[in-house]
């Protein structure tokens, strides 16, 4: 698929990699060139999203999951939960391609009524 600005924007949205207000592409996990490579290797934007989520799963690192300061306690999302989410999103977008739903939309057709005597 040929990468375009619109496809790159759509892919960023699908993989939850929006550029923050006032920010640049360097404020995300993927530079525009990296997204263009993913789009270039994919047959649809949904396949690209599946690739993107798979790469995001590989980027995850373990963080402190729980800590307390005095009487306050904080519990963060575990690495396992983050990984499960990323891989489920990759599988979700891969299903679009497998089921033939490569895009949203509908089909229109015209019916010619029969001639009545």
């Amino acid at each position: 698929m040929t990468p375009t600005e619109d496809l790159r924007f759509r892919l960023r949205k699908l993989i939850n990699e929006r550029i923050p207000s006032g920010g640049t592409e360097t404020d995300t996990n993927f530079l525009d060139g990296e997204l263009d490579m993913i789009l270039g290797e994919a047959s649809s934007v949904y396949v690209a999203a599946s690739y993107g989520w798979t790469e995001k799963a590989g980027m995850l690192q373990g963080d402190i999951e729980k800590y307390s300061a005095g009487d306050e306690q904080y519990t963060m999302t575990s690495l396992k939960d983050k990984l499960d989410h990323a891989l489920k999103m990759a599988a979700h977008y891969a299903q679009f391609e497998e089921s033939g739903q490569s895009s949203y939309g509908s089909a229109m057709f015209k019916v010619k009524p029969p001639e009545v005597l």
Side-chain angles (χ1 to χ4, degrees):
M1 176 169 32
T2 304
T4 65
E5 187 69 31
D6 289 339
L7 278 174
R8 195 179 311 120
F9 178 79
R10 178 79 175 133
L11 179 57
R12 279 195 187 280
K13 191 172 181 180
L14 291 173
I15 61 174
N16 199 25
E17 286 291 326
R18 294 182 185 101
I19 296 174
S21 180
T24 65
E25 65 181 281
T26 59
D27 298 319
T28 65
N29 287 319
F30 298 96
L31 300 175
D32 287 348
E34 293 169 321
L35 292 178
D36 288 348
M37 283 189 339
I38 291 171
L39 286 165
E41 295 172 357
S43 58
S44 74
V45 71
Y46 299 111
V47 172
S50 179
Y51 293 165
W53 277 106
T54 302
E55 285 194 29
K56 284 181 75 162
M59 293 178 198
L60 293 174
Q61 297 177 3
D63 294 322
I64 296 173
E65 292 183 20
K66 188 174 186 178
Y67 68 95
S68 60
D71 292 339
E72 298 178 13
Q73 289 188 349
Y74 300 92
T75 303
M76 309 299 208
T77 305
S78 71
L79 177 61
K80 181 185 180 313
D81 290 342
K82 290 178 185 179
L83 180 63
D84 286 346
H85 172 71
L87 293 177
K88 283 179 184 176
M89 292 302 293
H92 171 75
Y93 287 117
Q95 285 179 349
F96 278 99
E97 187 70 13
E98 292 170 7
S99 66
Q101 298 175 354
S102 60
S103 64
Y104 293 111
S106 60
M108 292 182 60
F109 56 93
K110 182 177 180 180
V111 176
K112 183 177 178 183
E115 291 183 27
V116 179
L117 298 175

